[in-house]
């Protein structure tokens, strides 16, 4: 059967994504995946160097996505189906290019954990993320900011003369274009995935890439990889070398034999470095294998664990009865804590393959680890020899610059803006001016005229741009309040805090809308160790916002975001009366959001109404944007009562007394 690539609609119960947070993300990511300097002592030199290389200062220029909820309704998603009679692959270009399903047609078996719902949760670097399938993580340590964003997509001639699907986008955290090409050779049971990340700049760039695959978490499933050791990363926030598979008396290659969430980054043996692989096989020795060419060297197992918190997270990310999952992953470095240097004008490229694998179950599940991994390796050699993978990569590279055909999906206009302004030439991944939209329009005007245009009507400021060339343009533009606001954000991102504060203070003197500048100054005060001044500025900012706010989604999102930050800061500063004023100024619909229900409970407790605060918990609420590892629910409950934490609020993913959460990047 010839391979076909066709459009389709996928219907899922789906929660709405809602609007993006309009406040610039000035704070650095929470550091879940960053070990402290002492923890890097004793690590291999290259690993330690790459862990310390270019960590994120903030999420700028990417907005936080926290407007989603948990009420689901049927929704149609545009999908692309690739089928060669042996595999059927369902891809979601509008959701980060996620592979939703991979079905082995001769057996009818789904090889992935296929989430039956679309439920965003706060696990991506910038918030909204959903579980299941195969995702492509680029940018920085964590789940990509593109998890719930559309990619450009179009058909391209495949190396074997058929058709493949190309997806591409401009990754904004590191200002790098990338592409992912998917094709099924006509007689192959393995999906081929060609990936390319390019650095078009005249400076080196830090690169992060991990391909994450959710596989069914069945009681008898075992994860196999060509390694005898792994780097364990858990609640201690440190990396330590542990044996594979048995550690602390348990065989950790079976995902359910770990109690708490954990990462196991495998030390791939030198003998397997040219074709690293990982597989998840069930009790019958059947499951999914992933292999790649040498560039994609890292392999990892992530488990949620068998503890109450991990099980609650599993339920939270899908619907009851959907089953749990583990993740088998592949990346550019040994661990996800590292970023790899890409030289100016250079690129990284590699080929991945995903398909069914069957190995002798007696060997796969035997006590002899070498025999178990050997059984998987031999089975993989039979169906996908290393030479076949290398040849496929070479053939794909010859097609990587081929211009795509008619668009199946359209991503953002940010790539078009960067290509237009910098004059980049990127064959194979066209970022066309037709994709420019309202978000890019002010910046296009700045580039063309040297002036950042004032908005035509009162509205929250749009997205900021922070790269050096945009900062230079802002510095020479007329110094009106909006320009000073954006210049301060760019200076902040560059690490020039003093100049950022001066820009915001200059803008404040003449600004008709003061709240965006006051909020930025409040963040600066808080990070400078002055919580009282930060609280004052937050209170003033929220009052100014409420006075100017209009109807509509953008204003509501601004009130929600600033209200959450203001109440949190005021309560932390011991000013419950001022926090009550913020609460009273909220729209009634916002007060019903889970985050505000939690803040209301904190406010009541601070006012001495402990019983009323506890009743909010007893009445029930859901914290839709609960951050992975966040323990705000359990901590407040412990302040209110000595009673056991209700299971609905138990998202704790570390043992009692453990330090710090573990992440599932």
């Amino acid at each position: 059967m010839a391979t076909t690539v066709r459009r389709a609609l996928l219907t899922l119960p789906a929660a709405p994504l809602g609007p993006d947070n309009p406040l610039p993300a000035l704070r650095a990511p929470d550091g879940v995946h960053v070990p402290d300097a002492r923890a890097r002592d004793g690590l291999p030199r290259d690993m330690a160097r790459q862990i310390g290389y270019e960590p994120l200062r903030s999420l700028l220029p990417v907005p936080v996505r926290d407007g989603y909820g948990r009420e689901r309704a049927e929704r149609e998603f545009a999908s692309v189906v690739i089928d060669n009679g042996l595999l059927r692959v369902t891809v979601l270009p509008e959701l980060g290019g996620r592979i939703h399903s991979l079905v082995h047609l001769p057996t009818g078996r789904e090889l992935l954990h296929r989430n039956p719902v679309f439920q965003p949760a706060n696990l991506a670097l910038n918030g909204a993320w959903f579980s299941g399938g195969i995702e492509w993580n680029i940018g920085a340590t964590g789940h990509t900011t593109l998890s719930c964003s559309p990619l450009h997509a179009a058909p391209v001639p495949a190396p074997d003369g058929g058709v493949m699907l190309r997806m591409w986008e401009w990754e904004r955290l590191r200002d790098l274009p990338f592409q992912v090409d998917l094709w099924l050779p006509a007689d192959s049971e393995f999906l081929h995935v060609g990936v390319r990340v390019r650095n078009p700049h005249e400076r080196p760039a830090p690169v992060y890439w991990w391909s994450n695959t959710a596989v069914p978490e069945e009681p008898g499933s075992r994860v196999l990889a060509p390694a005898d050791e792994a780097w364990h990363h858990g609640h201690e926030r440190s990396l330590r070398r542990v044996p594979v598979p048995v550690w602390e008396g348990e065989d950790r290659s079976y995902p359910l034999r770990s109690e708490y969430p954990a990462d196991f980054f495998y030390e791939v043996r030198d003998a397997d470095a040219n074709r690293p692989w990982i597989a998840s096989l069930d009790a019958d020795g059947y499951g999914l294998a992933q292999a790649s060419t040498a560039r994609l060297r890292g392999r990892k197992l992530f488990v949620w664990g068998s503890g109450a918190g991990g099980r609650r997270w599993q339920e939270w990310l899908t619907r009851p009865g959907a089953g749990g999952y583990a993740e088998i992953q592949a990346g550019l470095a040994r661990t996800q804590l590292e970023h790899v240097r890409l030289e100016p004008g250079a690129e990284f490229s590699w080929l991945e393959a995903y398909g069914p694998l069957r190995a002798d179950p007696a060997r796969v599940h035997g006590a002899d680890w070498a025999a178990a991994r050997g059984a998987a390796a031999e089975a993989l050699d039979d169906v996908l020899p290393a030479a076949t993978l290398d040849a496929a990569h070479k053939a794909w590279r010859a097609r990587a610059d081929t211009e795509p055909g008619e668009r199946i999906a359209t991503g953002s206009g940010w790539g078009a803006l960067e290509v237009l302004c910098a004059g980049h030439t990127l064959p194979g991944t066209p970022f066309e001016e037709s994709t420019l939209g309202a978000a890019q329009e002010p910046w296009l005007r700045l580039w063309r005229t040297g002036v950042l245009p004032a908005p035509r009507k009162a509205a929250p400021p749009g997205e900021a741009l922070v790269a050096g060339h945009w900062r230079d343009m802002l510095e020479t533009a007329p110094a009106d309040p909006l320009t000073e606001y954006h210049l301060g954000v760019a200076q902040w991102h560059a690490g020039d805090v003093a100049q950022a504060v001066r820009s915001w203070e200059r803008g404040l003197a003449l600004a008709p809308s003061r709240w965006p500048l006051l909020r930025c100054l409040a963040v600066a005060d808080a990070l400078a160790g002055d919580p009282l001044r930060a609280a004052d500025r937050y209170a003033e900012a929220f009052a100014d916002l409420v006075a100017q706010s209009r109807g509509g989604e953008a204003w509501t999102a601004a009130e929600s975001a600033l209200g959450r930050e203001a109440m949190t800061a005021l309560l932390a500063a011991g000013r419950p009366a001022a926090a009550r004023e913020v609460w009273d100024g909220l729209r009634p619909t916002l007060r019903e959001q889970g985050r505000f229900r939690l803040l209301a409970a904190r406010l009541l407790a601070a006012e001495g109404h402990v019983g009323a605060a506890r009743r909010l918990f007893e009445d029930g609420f859901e914290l839709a944007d609960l951050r992975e590892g966040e323990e705000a629910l359990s901590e407040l409950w412990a302040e209110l009562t000595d009673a056991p934490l209700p299971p609905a609020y138990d998202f704790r993913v570390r043992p009692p007394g453990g330090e710090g959460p573990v992440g599932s990047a």
Side-chain angles (χ1 to χ4, degrees):
M1 173 180 171
T3 300
T4 60
V5 177
R6 60 181 175 84
R7 303 185 196 198
L9 291 175
L10 175 68
T11 302
L12 294 174
L17 267 175
D20 287 348
N21 187 321
L23 306 183
L26 300 178
R27 296 179 185 271
D30 59 17
V32 164
H33 304 94
V34 181
D36 60 32
R38 290 176 301 172
R40 295 203 292 269
D41 292 343
L43 297 179
R45 185 173 299 177
D46 62 331
M47 183 191 295
R49 182 179 64 252
Q50 291 181 162
I51 287 174
Y53 176 49
E54 293 290 337
L56 288 183
R57 296 189 187 97
S58 72
L59 293 177
L60 293 168
V62 177
V64 172
R65 312 198 77 168
D66 57 7
Y68 50 86
R70 292 194 57 81
E71 293 187 2
R72 297 189 285 264
E74 294 291 311
R75 175 184 160 188
E76 289 184 338
F77 293 89
S79 67
V80 178
V81 177
I82 310 171
D83 190 329
N84 69 349
L86 298 171
L87 281 182
R88 184 174 64 238
V89 187
T90 303
V91 190
L92 300 175
E94 66 179 289
L95 294 175
R98 182 79 58 99
I99 295 180
H100 175 70
S101 172
L102 188 65
V103 176
H104 182 226
L105 295 173
T107 61
R109 300 245 335 228
E110 172 65 69
L111 299 176
L112 306 177
H113 170 73
R114 180 171 58 190
N115 197 334
V117 304
F118 172 68
Q119 178 55 66
N122 193 1
L123 277 80
L125 278 167
N126 64 331
W129 174 87
F130 64 105
S131 67
I134 305 173
E135 59 178 310
W136 320 110
N137 290 298
I138 182 174
T141 299
H143 291 287
T144 177
T145 62
L146 295 166
S147 292
C148 295
S149 296
L151 306 186
H152 302 282
V156 180
D160 63 353
V163 180
M164 64 183 174
L165 174 69
R166 174 164 299 161
M167 299 183 289
W168 69 99
E169 190 40 289
W170 192 277
E171 200 287 310
R172 299 177 66 201
L173 287 180
R174 303 302 196 182
D175 262 342
L176 299 176
F178 71 96
Q179 72 189 74
V180 178
D181 290 355
L182 310 177
W183 86 97
L184 279 172
D187 58 350
S188 176
E189 291 192 329
F190 276 80
L191 172 68
H192 288 39
V193 182
V195 180
R196 177 165 63 166
V197 181
R198 286 186 274 192
N199 180 8
H201 306 295
E202 295 179 354
R203 63 182 187 278
V207 176
Y208 172 93
W209 184 283
W210 280 80
S211 303
N212 292 11
T213 304
V215 291
E217 181 194 61
E218 299 174 357
S221 291
R222 191 178 202 187
V223 172
L224 302 163
D228 296 311
E229 294 180 308
W231 293 93
H232 172 267
H233 183 252
H235 59 84
E236 309 92 342
R237 290 197 183 189
S238 63
L239 286 168
R240 53 178 165 170
R241 196 189 295 259
V242 301
V244 173
V246 178
W247 174 56
E248 293 186 340
E250 289 288 350
D251 188 332
R252 307 293 174 164
S253 63
Y254 291 90
L256 287 172
R257 296 187 188 177
S258 292
E259 185 175 1
Y260 296 100
D263 303 323
F264 295 93
F265 299 104
Y266 294 112
E267 275 282 0
V268 174
R269 299 184 325 141
D270 291 343
D272 297 277
N274 288 330
R275 200 274 306 268
W277 59 271
I278 190 169
S280 176
L281 304 181
D282 65 14
D284 297 323
Y286 182 86
L288 174 77
Q290 188 272 358
S292 72
T293 49
R295 170 67 69 181
L296 202 68
R297 62 168 293 183
R299 291 299 184 275
K300 171 191 162 184
L301 165 64
F302 167 74
V303 297
W304 279 109
S306 58
R311 306 328 295 168
R312 182 72 179 100
W313 270 107
Q314 292 264 38
E315 179 185 67
W316 183 252
L317 294 170
T318 182
R319 67 183 183 194
Y325 71 93
E327 288 187 359
I328 57 174
Q329 307 180 10
L332 279 178
R334 275 191 185 95
T335 74
Q336 288 171 328
L337 310 183
E338 302 168 67
H339 300 98
V340 182
R341 180 185 174 103
L342 180 59
E343 298 299 334
E347 66 178 50
F348 289 144
S349 78
W350 62 89
L351 187 82
E352 306 179 41
Y354 297 81
L357 191 70
R358 186 184 299 277
D360 178 3
R363 294 177 64 195
V364 165
H365 296 285
D368 186 332
W369 172 248
R373 69 162 189 257
E378 291 163 15
L380 186 59
D381 285 340
D382 288 342
V383 294
L384 189 71
T388 299
L389 205 56
D390 288 337
H393 179 225
K394 183 177 180 180
W396 167 72
R397 277 299 287 114
R399 298 278 188 169
D401 287 349
T402 303
E403 291 303 310
E406 180 184 359
R407 302 300 182 266
I408 292 175
T410 302
S412 78
W414 296 113
L417 181 67
E418 295 297 338
V419 167
L420 179 65
C421 295
H424 299 309
T425 300
L426 298 168
T429 55
F431 293 95
E432 296 154 331
E433 289 189 46
S434 61
T435 63
L436 292 166
Q440 292 82 42
E441 177 60 26
W443 300 97
L444 191 61
R445 292 269 300 277
L446 173 65
W447 176 66
R448 285 175 170 163
T449 68
V451 178
L452 189 68
R456 296 177 182 174
K457 61 181 181 179
E463 291 188 45
L465 290 181
V466 296
H469 52 285
W470 294 110
R471 187 172 69 251
D472 292 344
M473 287 184 235
L474 290 166
E475 286 176 344
T476 58
D480 60 75
L482 181 62
T483 301
E484 295 284 17
Y485 163 81
H486 281 294
L487 175 58
V489 173
Q491 290 166 332
W492 179 276
H493 177 263
D496 196 343
V497 173
Q499 283 287 8
V501 168
R502 281 193 284 272
S503 295
W504 292 328
E505 288 176 338
R506 284 196 304 268
L508 195 61
L510 298 174
S513 183
R514 293 166 54 83
W515 66 267
L517 293 150
L518 285 166
R519 182 265 176 177
C520 290
L521 290 167
V523 174
D525 288 333
L527 294 178
D530 194 342
L532 296 178
R533 189 177 184 188
D536 288 339
R537 278 182 159 152
Y538 266 122
E540 186 181 354
F542 188 76
D544 185 67
L545 170 59
V546 170
Q548 297 189 40
S549 186
R550 310 289 189 268
E553 188 177 74
W555 284 107
T556 301
E559 288 182 41
S560 176
L562 186 55
R564 293 193 304 267
E565 288 190 13
M567 285 191 70
T568 300
L570 289 163
L571 288 169
R575 297 181 53 191
R580 174 62 65 182
E581 290 181 11
V582 172
W583 174 266
D584 291 340
L586 291 169
R587 302 180 190 214
T589 53
L590 292 180
R591 296 178 193 170
E592 298 304 313
Q593 291 179 356
R595 184 61 63 174
F596 281 112
R597 301 294 283 174
L598 178 64
L599 285 167
R602 289 186 57 197
L603 176 58
L604 287 167
E607 293 171 333
H609 306 304
V610 174
R614 179 170 169 172
R615 281 194 292 276
L616 285 177
F617 274 85
E618 292 168 347
D619 291 343
F621 63 88
E622 291 187 316
L623 208 60
D625 63 336
L626 183 71
R627 185 70 179 168
E628 183 188 7
E630 181 183 355
E631 297 187 351
L633 290 167
S634 56
E635 288 171 353
L636 181 55
W637 178 263
E639 294 176 18
L640 301 176
T641 177
D642 293 330
L645 180 67
Y649 301 118
D650 191 356
F651 292 88
R652 295 171 293 185
V653 293
R654 59 182 176 138
E659 295 182 1
V662 64
S664 65

